[in-house]
């Protein structure tokens, strides 16, 4: 009776001997595999399986950096156990956005005595709790926190202030008018400020931009190299950021290399900010610059600022003409190989010699774009959206043909009307879409033939000769692409004032449709795609091409495709999503 059993056991052992045992891999390979497992899972579960994994799970390469952000299975007890087991081995801890953890969870961070970098953005931390925690973290050099109503800097202990005095990098998100911990950080080199203060309290009272009682201490900027401020809409945010800038205007740091202010809407220049910019023009050489449009428009500021080896420029929504761009920024065709990021979003005249007598829809001057491409040949990120960049009929000077020379581009944003072939836009506009009124009125039944299943034969001859097809073919390493109508405005913008009135699409955009979308499928490494206000989308067949070919796509955002209020591409979108195995964000 035991013979059959022995036979089965024999077969199983033979299979095991022929198979590959995971534990037979080298330590290097196993460590690489384990690096994809959340640290809490490694320490609390995986290391309890066998002696070898118990040793590997505590390897410094796996415990050096702990990421709890978006690890939704983590609770207070698991964090407590994690800190007890490996607290002294953690050098970087990211708890950003862990809103589900109670504030008392922060108390366990005190076990991480060797912590160098700590991110608590999105976690509610009181002044007393922050003081107790920071008092024990003597090696801390980088900190990210939120400053909420009720924060009181006078409650910070001397030991806490000693820790803050050694911090060189601070990210501070403000939900109330305050300097936060900035005055305590006397060694700051990098300061990132996010202003999220509401104009009204929860009870509906108007708020003031005046700082709270006990905020007499001022920031220390003498070692500052990077200053970045991003403002959400609202006048209180503008009032508070001016208090931060007032200190800068008194004495501008000599080592300041990057000065970036992102402000929605109008942020007027004052005497203090003008003094600051004049001081910067005299005393510093910048590598990165972004200013509110009102500070640049109509001023000769760009002519006086000095740049070292600039890598980032943002002139979003400025009335900057192409002539000024070439003369003052590129310095008449000066070699700017160091520049890797250029934001000209909303600069409607940036590719024209002058803006005085020019209409926004007039053709661009291709020589200006050519100078830009030649001088800034190493650009990685380029934004030309929110403007009408219409190419002329001259052969070889189309915007897409000139941009195809930028072989290093990783992200690109273009208006829809800029990618159309000039010959196609001059011909009569497509007739089928015009049968459908561009309104949200009574629904109209329209006969739309289903998209072709044989995608390979879909009007290939027409599209492969287009300038946009050639551009997509030349930018093989592009990871982020935005094709947005020049008249498009988001219904719920994050950091811009809401605009309720939506303008009709540009006339040249009427010829951009499914075949142009199909051209995007050449971007093998595409990770993020935004398409907005493409009126000539009829079936969405190009989306299926993208789903099949762009296997790394993680983010997809679609808005106003086809005629307004007529979503006719849903069938194609469903087919596309079957192939998007890496998609994480769909809008």
């Amino acid at each position: 009776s035991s013979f059959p059993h022995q036979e089965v056991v024999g077969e199983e052992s033979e299979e095991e001997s022929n198979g590959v045992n995971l534990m037979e891999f080298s330590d290097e390979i196993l460590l690489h595999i384990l690096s994809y497992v959340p640290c809490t899972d490694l320490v609390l579960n995986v290391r309890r399986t066998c002696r070898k994994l118990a040793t590997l799970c505590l390897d410094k390469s796996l415990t050096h950096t702990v990421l709890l952000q978006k690890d939704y299975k983590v609770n207070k007890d698991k964090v407590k156990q994690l800190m007890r087991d490996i607290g002294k081995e953690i050098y970087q801890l990211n708890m950003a956005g862990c809103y589900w953890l109670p504030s008392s969870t922060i108390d366990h961070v005190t076990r991480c005595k060797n912590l160098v970098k700590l991110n608590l953005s999105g976690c509610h931390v009181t002044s007393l709790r922050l003081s107790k925690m920071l008092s024990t973290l003597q090696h801390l050099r980088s900190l990210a926190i939120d400053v909420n109503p009720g924060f009181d800097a006078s409650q910070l202990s001397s030991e806490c202030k000693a820790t803050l005095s050694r911090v060189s990098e601070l990210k501070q998100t403000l939900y109330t008018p305050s300097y936060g911990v900035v005055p305590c950080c006397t060694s700051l080199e990098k300061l990132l400020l996010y202003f999220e203060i509401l104009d009204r309290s929860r009870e509906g009272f108007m708020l003031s931009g005046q700082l709270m009682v006990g905020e007499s201490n001022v920031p220390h900027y003498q070692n500052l190299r990077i200053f970045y401020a991003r403002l959400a809409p609202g006048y209180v945010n503008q009032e508070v950021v001016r208090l931060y800038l007032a200190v800068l205007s008194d004495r501008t740091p000599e080592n300041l290399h990057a000065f970036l202010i992102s402000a929605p809407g109008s942020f007027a220049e004052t005497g203090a900010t003008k003094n600051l910019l004049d001081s910067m023009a005299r005393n510093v050489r910048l590598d990165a610059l972004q200013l509110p449009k009102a500070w640049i428009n109509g001023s000769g500021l760009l002519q006086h600022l000095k740049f070292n080896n600039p890598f980032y420029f943002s002139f979003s929504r400025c009335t900057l003409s192409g002539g000024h761009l070439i003369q003052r920024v590129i310095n008449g065709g000066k070699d700017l190989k160091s520049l890797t990021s250029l934001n000209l979003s909303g600069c409607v005249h940036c590719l024209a010699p002058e803006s005085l007598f020019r209409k926004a829809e007039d053709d661009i001057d291709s020589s200006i774009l050519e100078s830009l491409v030649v001088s800034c040949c190493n650009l990685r990120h380029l934004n030309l959206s929110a403007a009408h960049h219409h190419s002329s009929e001259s052969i070889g000077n189309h915007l897409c043909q000139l941009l195809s020379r930028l072989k290093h581009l990783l992200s690109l944003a273009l208006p829809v009307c800029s990618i159309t072939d000039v010959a196609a836009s001059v011909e009569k506009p497509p007739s089928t879409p015009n049968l459908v009124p561009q309104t949200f009125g009574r629904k109209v039944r329209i006969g739309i033939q289903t998209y072709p299943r044989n995608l390979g034969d879909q009007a290939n001859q027409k599209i492969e000769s287009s300038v946009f097809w050639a551009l997509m073919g030349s930018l093989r390493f592009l990871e982020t692409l935005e094709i947005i109508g020049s008249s498009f405005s988001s219904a719920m913008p994050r950091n811009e004032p809401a605009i309720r009135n939506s303008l009709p699409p540009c006339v040249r955009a009427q010829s951009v449709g499914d075949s142009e979308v199909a051209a995007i499928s050449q971007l093998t490494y595409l990770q993020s795609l935004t398409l907005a206000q493409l009126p000539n989308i009829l079936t969405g067949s190009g989306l299926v091409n993208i789903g099949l070919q762009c296997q790394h796509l993680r983010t997809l955002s679609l808005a106003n495709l086809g005629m307004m209020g007529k979503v006719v591409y849903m069938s194609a979108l469903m087919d596309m999503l079957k192939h998007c195995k890496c998609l994480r964000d769909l809008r």
Side-chain angles (χ1 to χ4, degrees), residues 284-358:
V284 300
R285 301 181 73 88
L286 295 172
D287 291 328
L289 177 68
Q290 178 176 355
L291 295 175
K293 61 181 180 181
W295 298 14
I296 295 179
N297 291 347
S299 72
L301 174 67
L302 293 178
Q303 205 164 1
H304 303 296
L305 285 176
K306 295 185 284 289
F307 301 106
N308 195 26
N309 291 305
F311 62 87
Y312 178 90
F313 283 145
S314 177
F315 303 112
S316 179
R317 304 193 183 281
C318 294
T319 57
L320 188 70
S321 71
H324 289 157
L325 182 67
I326 298 299
Q327 293 166 19
R328 297 178 182 178
V329 181
I330 304 178
N331 205 4
K334 178 188 174 185
D335 178 9
L336 272 184
K337 289 181 180 177
S338 61
L339 195 67
T340 58
S341 184
L342 179 61
N343 184 354
L344 296 171
S345 171
C347 298
V348 294
H349 304 296
C350 67
L351 298 181
E354 296 297 335
S355 58
L356 200 56
F357 301 107
R358 181 181 182 271

Side-chain angles (χ1 to χ4, degrees), residues 113-156:
K113 304 291 186 185
N114 296 314
L115 209 57
V116 175
K117 188 171 185 177
L118 174 62
N119 190 340
L120 295 175
S121 295
C123 300
H124 188 80
V125 185
T126 63
S127 313
L128 289 172
R129 187 157 265 137
L130 182 70
S131 178
K132 180 183 176 184
M133 178 189 64
L134 292 182
S135 297
T136 63
L137 305 180
Q138 298 181 8
H139 301 286
L140 195 68
R141 297 296 178 268
S142 177
L143 176 65
I145 58 166
D146 293 351
V147 177
N148 292 289
F151 180 88
D152 186 357
S154 65
Q155 294 180 338
L156 302 179

Side-chain angles (χ1 to χ4, degrees), residues 191-468:
L191 177 59
L192 310 176
L193 298 168
Y194 295 79
F195 295 86
E196 300 284 347
I197 310 165
L198 299 175
D199 288 345
R200 291 179 181 272
S201 66
R202 289 177 181 268
E203 294 76 25
F205 299 116
M206 296 288 289
L207 291 176
S208 166
Q210 296 299 313
L211 299 185
M212 295 186 300
V213 178
E215 292 277 353
S216 57
N217 290 333
V218 294
H220 298 268
Y221 292 140
Q222 59 266 31
N223 299 313
L224 204 62
R225 295 173 57 84
I226 297 171
F227 181 92
Y228 173 81
R230 193 193 73 186
L231 284 69
Y235 76 94
V236 174
N237 289 316
Q238 296 184 6
E239 283 187 36
V240 178
V241 79
R242 290 189 199 282
L243 296 173
Y244 280 81
L245 294 173
V247 183
L248 267 180
S249 63
D250 290 339
R251 185 182 177 187
T252 308
E254 295 178 0
N255 294 323
L256 192 67
H257 283 267
F259 187 75
L260 311 162
I261 297 180
S262 174
S266 59
F267 184 22
E269 188 181 32
T270 62
T273 54
K274 190 176 186 305
N275 291 339
L276 167 62
L277 297 173
D278 289 342
S279 174
M280 286 170 54
R282 290 192 306 270
N283 301 317
V284 300
R285 301 181 73 88
L286 295 172
D287 291 328
L289 177 68
Q290 178 176 355
L291 295 175
K293 61 181 180 181
W295 298 14
I296 295 179
N297 291 347
S299 72
L301 174 67
L302 293 178
Q303 205 164 1
H304 303 296
L305 285 176
K306 295 185 284 289
F307 301 106
N308 195 26
N309 291 305
F311 62 87
Y312 178 90
F313 283 145
S314 177
F315 303 112
S316 179
R317 304 193 183 281
C318 294
T319 57
L320 188 70
S321 71
H324 289 157
L325 182 67
I326 298 299
Q327 293 166 19
R328 297 178 182 178
V329 181
I330 304 178
N331 205 4
K334 178 188 174 185
D335 178 9
L336 272 184
K337 289 181 180 177
S338 61
L339 195 67
T340 58
S341 184
L342 179 61
N343 184 354
L344 296 171
S345 171
C347 298
V348 294
H349 304 296
C350 67
L351 298 181
E354 296 297 335
S355 58
L356 200 56
F357 301 107
R358 181 181 182 271
K359 294 179 181 177
E361 297 83 4
D362 289 347
D363 290 349
I364 63 171
D365 185 336
S366 58
S367 64
I368 291 174
L369 182 58
E370 187 166 19
S371 298
L372 189 69
V373 168
V374 171
S375 302
C376 312
C377 57
N378 290 322
L379 276 178
R380 302 284 196 278
H381 313 281
L382 177 62
N383 190 338
L384 293 172
S385 63
H388 296 272
H389 294 314
H390 297 170
S391 298
S392 62
E393 294 186 51
S394 54
I395 299 172
N397 289 326
H398 194 283
L399 178 138
C400 291
Q401 292 171 315
L402 294 172
L403 293 183
S404 64
R405 302 183 194 176
L406 298 173
K407 304 296 185 185
H408 303 290
L409 277 181
L410 296 177
S411 71
L412 177 64
L414 294 174
V416 177
C417 56
S418 71
I419 69 172
T420 182
D421 281 275
V422 180
S425 62
V426 171
E427 295 170 8
K428 65 177 184 178
S431 55
T432 309
N434 290 341
L435 297 173
V436 186
Q438 292 190 43
T439 65
F440 286 102
R442 185 178 173 185
K443 291 189 180 296
V444 180
R445 293 180 65 86
I446 52 175
I448 297 290
Q449 70 181 88
T450 56
Y451 66 89
R453 298 284 173 174
N454 53 337
L455 299 165
D457 302 328
Q458 179 202 337
N460 277 343
Q461 290 160 0
K462 176 200 166 190
I463 185 171
E464 289 184 17
S465 62
S466 74
V467 289
F468 184 61

